[in-house]
Amino acid sequence: KHTVQCTLPSIQSQISTNPSNSNSLYLNSNTTNIPCLYTWRELLRRMSLAQCLFPSRWQQRIRRNITTTVYRCHRAIPVRSAGAAAPIVSFSSWPTIQISRALGERTFSHSAGSAFNVSGFALTRENHQQKNNIIFTLQHPSQSRSNSSSLHSRPKKVPRLSDGGTLEEAIESTYNHMDILSPRDMAAFWTAVPQFLRKRGRGPSKRHDEDQDEQQLHLQFDKILVHTLEEIPAFGYRDLAQTTLGFAKIVKNIGGHGKRLPEGSPQQILHNLFIGENSQNKEFIFSHIAVASLPILQDFDARSLSNFIYAYGLAEYVLKFEDGSTFFDILALEAIPNLTKFNSFDISNMLWGYSNVKASNPRLFEETGDVVIARDLLKTFNPQDITNMIWAYSTAEELHPKLFEEVADHIASLDNLGGFIPQALSNIAWAYAAANESQPKLFKKIADAVIKKETEFTSQGITNLLWAYATNGQIDQHLFKSLAPTATALVRKCNSQDLANIAWSYAVANESAPSLFNQEFINFCLEKKDEFTLEGLSQLHQWHLWQEDLNSNIDCPHHFKEKCYEAFLSRVPRPSALQDDVISELSSIGLQPEEEKLTERGYRLDALVEVNGEKIGIEVDGPSHFLGRKPTGSTILKHRQVTTLEGIRIVSVPYWEWDKLGKDRSKKQQYLRALLGLN
């Protein structure tokens, strides 16, 4: 025998296994109200996860309908009453078994050796020679289907798109044979549903909606979903991952439409079932799956675990526990030791899932990057995998400079970027700009590819691309000039932030683009004047200053320009220790610096001094003003506009030059004298 003592939240349970019969499990009669039972192997491996299984915030929701799970051969076999979503098994007295349901209790009393069927699970109760011990042997009907083939007809194959079937046919076939479908059959059905939804969106179904009874369709979907959730704890890892991915794709397909979906349509029915009011149904479904997956997470292969993580990212659901951790933290614990088994597709999907829900996990991202580099996996990545991976790092704000460098060198070394779709090129450029990674060779390579595909971009793609080049300080005049006609054609589709980003990007690049910036562009901005953020209005103020510098005839109504100016002024200055040190030394050499000097057009200078009758602006530029040693787009624009519009010469004190001087004040003062021409 193997005996393990385990403490779960408020529960102490003892489990004994019989080595001669791995299909049996001894349950001590003095153990009552057991929320979860583990085999000795699982206990050793999952003690650290015990607190995550049933936190108190869940207990209120599912106190009456939690599943007591008996593990047989290290797999979860749930005991549940017919019709109960997730009942509780209470071993409160012998030889009585109580099965509590969400809507009440049902008690079954049986003598030794008798058997009864609970929701399709055959449960046999036997006496054992040891006092107070009773053996329960459970068998799922899927293990005895071969013996009952004469009682049930085999279901038809779930129709696929290639078969020319319809969604209604797939639902009817699955509903009619629901009780004898295997987990694999159910997984195949839920995989097919989002495919049918996409097909329906592209054209009419063979069967018109008016021929389908709305109530019947709702009933069938409801029954199939409930049945699937009841059977989820008995699913193997592949079927569980496939089903979850199908659910996530359904949520993604119908999640953003809400009440705009046609009344009575499959999409509207699925929205009610899978999302519900305030996303309550989505939370319950994916929480239920998460808890059911915990006992078998260690069995997942790389592809299934990657798809499982991707599904939760796609559904945009993060299950949180009382201690502040999340289900994504648990998934990372399973993924990290197995990263060497992940291929390029698995890696990109996994990281995308984390990034899409902003699930921070620095260790996972760091070790994944290390594995990609150490195993030289980049040559196995296709363009989409590379794009998803690098986008994920940037979106999650997880820095891995070595990986970004390796990816940039890899892309720049390719003969051409014909395999990258326009959106991928835009996303890669955006990722490097957002991560403050300066890779001129990469940006040059992307620019050449973009010009060849300039007419294929969407409004979002063109906006992100222009913003990336401007932010990164990659001023490619040919690129900005080439993209102006495309931006002009797409500008009417832009939202307020897109308009602000485009305007600011061209101001940084100093490419006039008269076909883009005209009265029509002003009108688009005015239509969305109440939608701009403070940052967007600030960008438009800098664009107004740029138009002033160009002496263009474009002008905005005074009230809108004033609104942009006030937004620009609202930015709160944050002097740094470096700035204070420089100003102190300026005073030491006999100058009288004006700190945080506000200029007429709204810019703030770190210090303003007068040297030989000339006003000079001092900008103490810390790391945030540079990408490597190259100034960012914001720094370039500020220096240019203050010089040309305010008539103030700007001199920069880069942080690395000041740091090299150490604490030697005489060297610092000598540096400033040379910089200002006072020697």
Side-chain angles (χ1 to χ4, degrees), residues 203-378:
S205 164
K206 286 187 176 181
R207 187 172 179 178
H208 295 294
D209 289 342
E210 55 264 29
D211 296 331
Q212 177 69 29
D213 186 343
E214 176 188 339
Q215 293 183 351
Q216 179 69 9
L217 186 62
H218 190 285
L219 173 65
Q220 290 174 338
F221 258 135
D222 185 31
K223 291 290 186 181
I224 296 171
L225 176 59
V226 170
H227 177 76
T228 303
L229 294 177
E230 287 180 349
E231 299 299 317
I232 279 289
F235 277 33
Y237 68 86
R238 286 191 181 92
D239 299 328
L240 182 60
Q242 185 178 350
T243 300
T244 308
L245 183 56
F247 284 179
K249 289 181 177 179
I250 292 172
V251 169
K252 183 66 175 178
N253 184 283
I254 49 88
H257 298 287
K259 296 180 180 180
R260 293 175 294 173
L261 294 167
E263 186 68 26
S265 67
Q267 288 91 337
Q268 193 261 345
I269 292 172
L270 287 170
H271 184 277
N272 292 340
L273 291 175
F274 276 88
I275 297 180
E277 186 176 356
N278 298 323
S279 298
Q280 290 181 347
N281 292 356
K282 183 178 80 170
E283 292 180 9
F284 174 78
I285 290 170
F286 284 91
S287 297
H288 176 71
I289 294 174
V291 173
S293 73
L294 288 173
I296 61 171
L297 273 180
Q298 80 283 352
D299 297 330
F300 277 62
D301 59 24
R303 176 56 54 86
S304 297
L305 184 57
S306 172
N307 285 343
F308 197 56
I309 294 170
Y310 176 83
Y312 274 83
L314 187 65
E316 299 181 6
Y317 179 66
V318 180
L319 174 60
K320 298 180 180 179
F321 301 117
E322 275 190 331
D323 61 358
S325 64
T326 70
F327 185 49
F328 277 88
D329 295 328
I330 297 176
L331 294 173
L333 292 177
E334 296 296 339
I336 290 172
N338 298 293
L339 284 174
T340 55
K341 300 175 184 178
F342 282 56
N343 61 26
S344 59
F345 179 81
D346 300 331
I347 288 173
S348 65
N349 265 14
M350 174 185 67
L351 296 180
W352 186 94
Y354 274 83
S355 299
N356 202 48
V357 292
K358 303 294 191 296
S360 175
N361 199 295
R363 183 189 169 196
L364 174 66
F365 278 81
E366 181 180 359
E367 296 202 19
T368 301
D370 293 343
V371 167
V372 170
I373 295 171
R375 295 179 61 202
D376 195 22
L377 288 180
L378 283 178

Side-chain angles (χ1 to χ4, degrees), residues 163-179:
D163 301 330
T166 66
L167 176 61
E168 290 79 4
E169 291 170 354
I171 296 170
E172 186 173 359
S173 174
T174 302
Y175 178 78
N176 290 339
H177 304 90
M178 186 168 53
D179 292 337

Side-chain angles (χ1 to χ4, degrees), residues 58 233 240 308 335 413 482 510 514 640:
W58 267 63
L240 182 60
F308 197 56
S413 68
S482 298
N510 204 20
R640 189 180 75 233

